[in-house]
Amino acid sequence: MKATLTVSSPGSGPGGGAVNDLRRWLQRHPELRAHIKSEPAPDPAPGTMGAASEFLTLLLAPGGATAALGAAVVAWLQNRRGNQTVTITRPDGTQITVTAERVRDLGAAESGELARRLAEALEQREPGTGTTDMARPGPTGRA
């Protein structure tokens, strides 16, 4: 499965250097290192000054790699300053969004639950239904 990750920060435009920071963070994980693919940004739309956003592509097999990606994204967001948003786009167009302001103060159990839910959303076999916003897990583990 091909997953595309984009990073945005409110007020600073898409990505900035955050995509490179996320790439370096993911490369520290042996389960993910071989799955990260660099692709050039698409050509900017006519009349614009640059690419719309920066992105990473990962080629993942179900199971371990998606679980490792979920855990790595949650941990990366918890260690960032400011508000960051990571959007993962599945091949069917479904977008899964995780925001730093919602995960920064999670405990270990809540972080693990969010990472598990993120991995499950990545592995879903049903056609996408739009955008899923990964919120803080509630007392039952559901958002």
Side-chain angles (χ1 to χ4, degrees), residues 25-105:
W25 183 275
L26 296 176
Q27 286 174 335
R28 294 182 351 189
H29 298 271
E31 311 88 13
L32 299 174
R33 189 176 301 130
H35 301 287
I36 300 169
K37 185 174 193 253
S38 295
E39 291 187 10
D43 290 334
T48 62
M49 294 179 59
S53 64
E54 298 178 69
F55 62 93
L56 294 173
T57 300
L58 281 85
L59 302 174
L60 303 171
T66 55
L69 177 60
V73 166
V74 170
W76 183 78
L77 284 167
Q78 287 180 309
N79 285 285
R80 299 292 294 176
R81 292 183 186 262
N83 292 329
Q84 308 281 320
T85 299
V86 174
T87 300
I88 303 171
T89 305
R90 292 184 357 196
D92 65 4
T94 301
Q95 293 186 327
I96 304 148
T97 302
V98 186
T99 306
E101 65 184 296
R102 292 195 176 162
V103 301
R104 191 170 291 120
D105 297 325

